[in-house]
Amino acid sequence: MNIYDFKNLTDSIHASLSVNLSPTAVTIIEFIIIASAFMILFTLLGLVLVYAERKIAAFFQLRLGPMRVGKWGIAQTAADAIKLILKEPLVTKNADKFLFNLAPFIIILSTFLALGAMPFAKGLHALDFDIGILYLTAVSSFGVIGILIAGWSSDNKYSLIGAMRSGAQVVSYELSVGLSLLTVVILAGSLQFSEIIASQETGWWIFRGHIPAMIAFIIFMIAGTAETGRGPFDLPEAESELTAGYHTEYSGLKFAFFFLAEFVNMFIIAGIGATVFLGGWMPFHIGNWEGFNKIMDFIPSLFWFFGKVAFLIFLMMWFKWTFPRLRIDQLLRLEWKYLLPINLVNILVMAFIVLMGWHF
Amino acid sequence: MDKSALILFVISAIVIVGVGIILSWIVAPKSKNKVKEEPYECGIPTKGTSFIQFRVGYYLFAIIFLIFDVETVFIFPWAVVMKSMGMTAFIEILIFFVILGLGLLYAWKKNALKWD
């Protein structure tokens, strides 16, 4: 039983608005509140994650990282954002201007739609579809169209190579992301996020699903990192060979949107991982240790969700600063000859476990 | 919330990018320069256009992906009902996966998964 429920808050807002306003006006006001909340969340995530990335990278390399702007460099990313707004937007001479400007819209649209389906806390959930996981895989793979458009329209060979690599990579690893999530869907018996979380009240799927769930989690983290184009899988923007990959020609705020999308995508992958494998906002419980479970219940669900997400994001940053970048042939071999066959067998093993009723 | 909220998210994404681009267009300096319009390729003058034909390997992987992605869509409804349907669902997916695995094996043996 969780004592912090955001449904009370949303219900009371709805009730207080409904007192002297028509239903249409209430809906519009609520939509505006939700839209502005997500916009603020989006910007905050960008600022915080970029700062965290730079600090963590610095500590991995025995540096201090940004230190000058604000205490411990906290305001560094805000200063960077202001700088990027003030930069001149450049477009190459022969670029396809319309597609060049369209690409940031598509990429941000994809991340925004995916962000909307995140279950942040108990009762704090904007889009709770019954096909939640299918929706998320569909929407998050939508961004690759933006990347391909960006690379193609900039009239730059480096951009083109980066975009093509990104297309092959995102498209390949999307299979593994989908299949590893399905391994847990077999256990939970639902695609809806709120039901998947509710089914984990007695324990997280990563522990209750035996070895197959753990294998699925590892595959999900590898494929998710690859799908965001980060870490050892950052060949679409390999700076030592391709300048900056598909966003070489972008400058100012348009470049910032590509950068922001990468970090928010990382949050989304970590969010899905935390929801499906680590119980979402469910607190950590051990069997029948009543006292321990009671103490865990006192930590609000919002903290549980963001704590798990922060842990997974830290893991992804750790990958990035530990492993060297893969070559394109290694990348495709890893997916098609290792992850995909392992994943297919893993699903069968999980189905067999469910069939025999061996799961907890 | 129902599915009409999807429109809300589409609009807010367009607003956040649109407002940002318009804001930066207003405050950023603008100056015309011939060199600025060149593609940035490490300072060496660019030869020809970039709207060219590209190597076929990428398309090959795109086609294999297309096949497997459609298979994944078939697995989605199966995964939901697996628990309640039991043995029937398991045997059916076993046959499905054998055919799928043969397809992957075929692509593998044909060197379609090899990058060179």
Side-chain angles (χ1 to χ4, degrees):
Chain A
M1 197 44 222
N2 221 306
I3 49 173
Y4 308 93
D5 194 344
F6 277 88
K7 198 151 190 349
N8 301 334
L9 181 72
T10 48
D11 280 350
S12 66
I13 289 174
H14 185 81
S16 61
L17 281 174
S18 303
V19 171
N20 42 14
L21 284 171
S22 67
T24 336
V26 170
T27 316
I28 289 170
I29 289 174
E30 281 177 348
F31 272 19
I32 290 170
I33 292 174
I34 296 164
S36 31
F38 270 95
M39 283 183 196
I40 291 166
L41 176 76
F42 190 79
T43 345
L44 267 184
L45 273 179
L47 293 180
V48 171
L49 287 178
V50 173
Y51 176 74
E53 162 91 354
R54 292 178 68 175
K55 270 295 184 195
I56 288 171
F59 287 135
F60 273 115
Q61 297 169 344
L62 294 180
R63 294 183 283 122
L64 282 175
M67 286 296 278
R68 297 299 172 91
V69 190
K71 184 99 175 147
W72 304 303
I74 277 178
Q76 179 67 52
T77 39
D80 284 346
I82 294 167
K83 184 198 78 177
L84 281 167
I85 291 174
L86 293 172
K87 286 287 172 188
E88 184 181 356
L90 296 173
V91 186
T92 37
K93 194 168 49 200
N94 294 323
D96 190 328
K97 303 259 181 338
F98 173 68
L99 291 181
F100 190 81
N101 289 316
L102 183 70
F105 280 97
I106 293 181
I107 287 178
I108 295 291
L109 187 61
S110 136
T111 51
F112 226 84
L113 285 172
L115 196 64
M118 287 283 118
F120 294 105
K122 194 176 172 65
L124 197 66
H125 198 169
L127 302 169
D128 191 16
F129 296 148
D130 48 359
I131 50 158
I133 285 179
L134 183 64
Y135 167 79
L136 252 173
T137 42
V139 156
S140 59
S141 57
F142 181 69
V144 71
I145 300 171
I147 291 174
L148 282 173
I149 288 178
W152 175 255
S153 64
S154 5
D155 188 30
N156 183 323
K157 278 149 198 121
Y158 289 133
S159 299
L160 183 62
I161 297 171
M164 283 296 182
R165 281 184 182 183
S166 177
Q169 175 183 332
V170 174
V171 139
S172 303
Y173 279 84
E174 195 193 311
L175 285 173
S176 282
V177 170
L179 288 175
S180 55
L181 290 176
L182 283 179
T183 320
V184 172
V185 170
I186 297 172
L187 281 170
S190 174
L191 291 170
Q192 192 169 358
F193 278 122
S194 53
E195 281 186 28
I196 290 174
I197 294 170
S199 70
Q200 301 183 74
E201 196 167 0
T202 48
W204 305 347
W205 284 126
I206 189 171
F207 300 128
R208 283 163 65 199
H210 298 296
I211 311 270
M214 286 182 194
I215 293 174
F217 180 68
I218 293 165
I219 290 175
F220 175 80
M221 284 315 287
I222 295 171
T225 315
E227 217 193 336
T228 53
R230 277 182 55 82
F233 308 101
D234 58 348
L235 5 70
E237 42 190 290
E239 66 273 10
S240 50
E241 16 181 322
L242 296 178
T243 326
Y246 55 85
H247 53 57
T248 308
E249 286 303 333
Y250 283 87
S251 65
L253 209 61
K254 280 183 227 163
F255 160 75
F257 282 124
F258 283 99
F259 200 63
L260 200 64
E262 181 189 322
F263 280 88
V264 178
N265 275 333
M266 192 162 70
F267 176 84
I268 289 162
I269 288 290
I272 302 171
T275 306
V276 173
F277 293 97
L278 304 180
W281 42 257
M282 280 290 174
F284 181 67
H285 281 177
I286 296 179
N288 39 19
W289 294 15
E290 286 299 326
F292 179 79
N293 293 350
K294 276 276 185 300
I295 293 167
M296 286 295 156
D297 280 343
F298 270 106
I299 302 171
S301 51
L302 202 64
F303 284 108
W304 276 109
F305 179 76
F306 278 94
K308 286 166 190 175
V309 167
F311 170 70
L312 292 183
I313 286 175
F314 176 72
L315 215 61
M316 288 164 89
M317 288 177 177
W318 198 350
F319 289 162
K320 174 160 181 170
W321 299 105
T322 307
F323 299 118
R325 183 182 299 135
L326 273 72
R327 266 198 333 261
I328 181 98
D329 61 321
Q330 294 169 331
L331 179 94
L332 293 168
R333 193 172 67 214
L334 173 70
E335 161 64 18
W336 290 98
K337 298 194 175 168
Y338 292 94
L339 293 189
L340 188 65
I342 292 173
N343 225 330
L344 291 176
V345 174
N346 196 32
I347 285 193
L348 279 183
V349 173
M350 182 57 102
F352 190 68
I353 287 176
V354 170
L355 188 70
M356 290 314 208
W358 286 340
H359 63 287
F360 297 113
Chain B
M1 225 187 326
D2 55 357
K3 292 181 178 62
S4 65
L6 266 181
I7 313 247
L8 168 78
F9 280 91
V10 173
I11 291 170
S12 17
I14 290 170
V15 164
I16 204 168
V17 183
V19 166
I21 285 177
I22 289 169
L23 184 73
S24 90
W25 187 73
I26 291 168
V27 295
K30 279 178 286 290
S31 66
K32 277 266 177 193
N33 187 337
K34 201 166 178 298
V35 183
K36 272 185 186 172
E37 293 181 336
E38 297 270 310
Y40 179 75
E41 291 180 6
C42 296
I44 305 164
T46 315
K47 279 222 173 96
T49 174
S50 296
F51 301 120
I52 46 171
Q53 290 189 332
F54 216 70
R55 70 174 288 165
V56 75
Y58 292 102
Y59 301 101
L60 219 57
F61 273 97
I63 290 168
I64 303 172
F65 157 75
L66 216 58
I67 298 161
F68 274 89
D69 204 37
V70 174
E71 311 301 343
T72 323
V73 172
F74 284 125
I75 303 173
F76 267 96
W78 166 79
V80 177
V81 296
M82 168 66 211
K83 219 174 187 173
S84 48
M85 268 181 80
M87 202 62 190
T88 339
F90 184 71
I91 289 168
E92 275 170 8
I93 209 68
L94 208 61
I95 297 164
F96 185 80
F97 271 25
V98 165
I99 296 169
L100 197 63
L102 283 177
L104 187 64
L105 208 67
Y106 178 75
W108 197 326
K109 285 290 165 225
K110 277 276 177 187
N111 281 340
L113 305 181
K114 207 171 152 199
W115 186 266
D116 51 9

